[in-house]
Amino acid sequence: SRHIARKFNGCTVTGVTLSPHQAASATQRSKAAGLEDRTSFQVADALKLPFDDESFDLLWSLESGEHMPRKKEWLAECRRVLKPGGRLLIATWTHKDTTGLAGGHRANEELTDKEKRLLDKVCKYYHLPEWA
């Protein structure tokens, strides 16, 4: 969010996270960077965004799409809040292909115990929900 606020002079940026810790940290970092007047952060569910239809020119989903339990619903919600002609940028990572949906990384029998422990650490460190 701070990167966008710096790069595109005059824009305002709203960050959304499920984590109160992340929202508070982002708010503090934006203030330290002198961007508190152009950035705001709130705790919200990306499947039920608290914004009016057609509110945003750009949605940037950074390493969050992989945590969405109902991806079609999430993408529909993204479309709802984007203005006509708006852009959706999704940046995510995955560690390997699996053949089916398992209801979360801990229940996925195709992952090794070592891979599950690694994903547990990522979720804990970044205050994220289980990978869907």
Side-chain angles (χ1 to χ4, degrees):
S1 297
R2 288 183 303 282
H3 170 75
I4 292 173
R6 281 189 202 102
K7 181 127 178 113
F8 299 101
N9 208 8
C11 76
T12 57
V13 181
T14 303
V16 173
T17 178
L18 282 174
S19 167
H21 176 83
Q22 284 183 341
S25 176
T27 299
Q28 291 171 349
R29 289 175 159 201
S30 283
K31 185 174 182 178
L35 295 169
E36 69 271 19
D37 60 331
R38 298 184 44 218
T39 58
S40 64
F41 303 92
Q42 62 187 40
V43 176
D45 182 349
L47 298 176
K48 296 176 191 155
L49 292 168
F51 307 112
D52 292 334
D53 294 355
E54 301 179 1
S55 295
F56 296 95
D57 298 304
L58 171 69
L59 291 182
W60 179 6
S61 171
L62 179 60
E63 296 179 355
S64 58
E66 62 270 28
H67 301 282
M68 298 299 161
R70 296 180 306 281
K71 290 174 179 50
K72 286 182 183 180
E73 185 178 329
W74 169 61
L75 289 171
E77 187 67 354
C78 290
R79 183 176 184 180
R80 181 187 70 77
V81 299
L82 270 175
K83 292 179 180 177
R87 303 289 178 143
L88 172 61
L89 173 64
I90 299 172
T92 190
W93 67 276
T94 57
H95 68 290
K96 77 177 200 181
D97 290 332
T98 58
T99 58
L101 298 176
H105 72 268
R106 291 184 191 106
N108 190 326
E109 294 178 1
E110 296 177 48
L111 299 177
T112 66
D113 287 342
K114 183 177 179 181
E115 291 167 329
K116 291 176 186 179
R117 285 192 305 272
L118 173 62
L119 292 173
D120 283 340
K121 287 180 184 178
V122 170
C123 292
K124 180 180 177 183
Y125 179 77
Y126 289 106
H127 306 279
L128 299 170
E130 184 176 355
W131 293 58

